[in-house]
Amino acid sequence: MQAFLRTYSDTSLQSPMDAAVVIPTVLRPVLREALDSVFAQRFHGRIHVLIGIDNIAGDLAMLDAACAARPSHIAVQAYWPGYSTSARHGGLTPPGDGGALRCVLTHLANSPFVAYLDDDNWWGPDHLFQMRQAIDLAEWSFALRWFVHPVRRRPVCVDVWESVGPGQGMFQANFGGFVDPSCLMLNKVACPTAALRWNFPLRNDPMSADRSVFDLLSRHHRVRGTGQASVYYTLNPRDGLHPLRLQRMGAAYDQVERFE
């Protein structure tokens, strides 16, 4: 029995594709916006989208509706093993944001070039094109991101403090820098052990597997940034960094807050 709940494809999936996108989700409604941004990519190549469902908390009909508008060069597969792999929902794998899904789907992706997108974020239309251009000269690539108001769903400002790459930003001293998962693409053939790091968050922080991945990539693999802010990252008021972000965004956040 296949573990893919849904497959949306117009052609055979056997031939390797030009890029892959891994999206962990619990089928929140915001997934539709994330998928729409992938479908709108100005990318001349085949794209394999793998949606990993950690816990079915939403409606598969939403996924069917979203993929009805899928361009013919994009294949989408929705994967659910029948249970949650995350310790957060009773599984065995520590990460609270998808369990083993990012690791498993990185291996399953039928492309060497794997990008990641959280279901509450989205991409600008040239994101994949720019990421592929950058990674062709390296082993992993990254883009910059916009902070997005959590209610207004409008960009506030470019993040110039946190997700800014190796040796940069406010996490340089403790972690050597940082790149958010939605800003990341890796060549899984050139970085064969990177996928496993998605299963290993830092101690006492189940949401930090991205730092393990970043640590390996930044220490052992060649990187190239696009220099473009093509990722739209939704702020979470419950995040421990939110008060500091508010302070640093200042008037820009207030202006979006008052937007009607």
Side-chain angles (χ1 to χ4, degrees):
M1 177 183 293
Q2 290 186 349
F4 286 106
L5 290 179
R6 298 283 194 276
T7 293
Y8 311 86
S9 178
D10 297 324
T11 60
S12 169
L13 297 173
Q14 184 61 63
S15 299
M17 304 193 193
D18 300 287
V21 182
V22 169
I23 307 176
T25 188
V26 293
L27 294 177
R28 296 185 293 179
V30 289
L31 174 63
R32 177 67 185 263
E33 191 170 13
L35 281 172
D36 286 346
S37 78
V38 176
F39 298 158
Q41 291 298 297
R42 292 192 281 253
F43 183 79
H44 300 294
R46 298 166 65 232
I47 303 172
H48 188 197
V49 180
L50 299 105
I51 300 169
I53 303 171
D54 177 56
N55 189 31
I56 298 182
D59 188 354
L60 282 167
M62 176 270 293
L63 186 59
D64 292 332
C67 290
R70 171 190 55 83
S72 60
H73 67 286
I74 299 180
V76 180
Q77 293 188 283
Y79 176 87
W80 185 57
Y83 56 91
S84 173
T85 63
S86 173
R88 182 181 186 183
H89 298 125
L92 298 175
T93 314
D97 54 347
L101 289 175
R102 283 196 182 100
C103 175
V104 170
L105 295 181
T106 299
H107 289 301
L108 287 175
N110 197 16
S111 174
F113 306 105
V114 184
Y116 302 89
L117 180 60
D118 288 343
D119 67 357
D120 58 342
N121 300 334
W122 72 91
W123 290 337
D126 294 314
H127 177 78
L128 278 182
F129 172 76
Q130 292 165 352
M131 295 287 273
R132 270 302 315 269
Q133 274 197 321
I135 206 170
D136 283 345
L137 301 172
E139 294 171 319
W140 65 286
S141 60
F142 71 95
L144 300 176
R145 66 182 182 180
W146 287 86
F147 282 138
V148 173
H149 193 282
V151 177
R152 303 298 186 186
R153 301 288 286 170
R154 293 177 60 86
V156 178
C157 66
V158 175
D159 171 17
V160 296
W161 308 286
E162 299 176 29
S163 181
V164 288
Q168 304 293 322
M170 60 185 282
F171 300 116
Q172 189 276 331
N174 291 335
F175 302 107
F178 177 63
V179 171
D180 180 80
S182 294
C183 301
L184 172 68
M185 173 181 275
L186 61 85
N187 181 334
K188 70 176 186 178
V189 176
C191 309
T193 61
L196 185 61
R197 289 293 187 102
W198 287 117
N199 291 343
F200 293 96
L202 303 180
R203 183 175 296 180
N204 300 321
D205 185 356
M207 308 300 282
S208 63
D210 49 8
R211 298 197 185 278
S212 295
V213 175
F214 173 80
D215 180 70
L216 181 140
L217 293 174
S218 62
R219 288 176 182 271
H220 301 291
H221 295 284
R222 289 179 292 112
V223 63
R224 189 174 182 89
T226 68
Q228 302 297 314
S230 56
V231 177
Y232 294 84
Y233 173 87
T234 302
L235 293 161
N236 181 355
R238 297 184 298 276
D239 192 304
L241 287 171
H242 192 64
L244 178 59
R245 289 169 174 167
L246 288 177
Q247 180 183 353
R248 294 190 168 183
M249 289 183 289
Y253 188 89
D254 296 334
Q255 288 173 1
V256 174
E257 182 76 32
R258 293 192 297 268
F259 179 81
E260 294 295 341

